[in-house]
Amino acid sequence: MKGAIGRLQERAGLAAFVAAALVFMVLSVVPRRQPQALLVPVLRHDVAAGTRLSASDIRWVKSTRIHGVEPASLVGYAKTPLFAGEIVSPVDVGARPPSGAVVVAVAPADSADVTVAAIGRQVDILAVLKNGQLAWQSGPVTVVGLSHGASVQVAMPLTQAIAYERQAFESTIELVGMER
């Protein structure tokens, strides 16, 4: 037994060198881990100005060329129209709807009128009295949402929303699509 231990002690330097060479060889051959890519927020669908964003509206895409963004900075209201596939920046999202706009649900008398509405597009709301006279007209307002029923959510200034609410109960509501 002493003979084997003695021989190992005589060759300890050689054994250490061989072990170090093996470790160096393995580390040289194994590829190094690349830095992880950052995730870039990209919208899943079009979002009109004034629309509230949530986590489900955003898809995260890897990128190694973009600075990181805190997810909390992307929750709020769209300041400008945003479109599917567009990169979202905290500059595009604000704490409040832009320019004092409020979101109003509009339910036209004929549910077929909803077909002229698409998120981000503009519509004109007409309030027509029973005798066929035009009682009120909104002018172009931006569609910010569509419900599963027969209503459309639009963003409009508060004064215009109040005028709409006054006319909505006494009139037949119609939507007209606006061409861009």
Side-chain angles (χ1 to χ4, degrees):
M1 186 74 143
K2 286 186 181 182
I5 293 176
R7 278 184 270 152
L8 283 176
Q9 287 176 343
E10 291 173 4
R11 297 183 183 156
L14 181 61
F17 176 75
V18 169
L22 285 172
V23 169
F24 179 76
M25 184 180 73
V26 168
L27 291 177
S28 297
V29 173
V30 174
R32 292 186 183 146
R33 290 185 66 189
Q34 297 296 324
Q36 288 188 344
L38 298 173
L39 296 177
V40 178
V42 177
L43 288 174
R44 291 183 186 276
H45 54 84
D46 296 348
V47 177
T51 303
R52 182 157 178 75
L53 294 178
S54 67
S56 64
D57 295 326
I58 298 170
R59 148 177 80 95
W60 294 91
V61 179
K62 292 182 180 181
S63 173
T64 56
R65 304 177 75 188
I66 303 287
H67 296 291
V69 174
E70 290 294 324
S73 66
L74 297 174
V75 176
Y77 293 90
K79 290 182 180 177
T80 60
L82 303 173
F83 303 96
E86 182 177 358
I87 295 175
V88 182
S89 167
V91 175
D92 298 324
V93 181
R96 288 183 241 145
S99 66
V102 294
V103 176
V104 177
V106 177
D110 185 359
S111 61
D113 284 0
V114 174
T115 60
V116 302
I119 294 175
R121 302 289 306 261
Q122 293 185 328
V123 295
D124 199 357
I125 304 168
L126 306 176
V128 180
L129 294 174
K130 291 186 194 256
N131 60 4
Q133 290 183 323
L134 181 63
W136 180 82
Q137 183 174 356
S138 70
V141 292
T142 304
V143 176
V144 296
L146 300 169
S147 71
H148 295 292
S151 69
V152 176
Q153 290 82 38
V154 296
M156 61 176 69
L158 181 60
T159 54
Q160 192 176 23
I162 292 170
Y164 165 74
E165 292 295 333
R166 286 184 184 145
Q167 294 297 324
F169 295 109
E170 303 165 353
S171 308
T172 301
I173 302 301
E174 297 177 8
L175 288 182
V176 178
M178 306 294 288
E179 292 294 321
R180 285 192 197 192

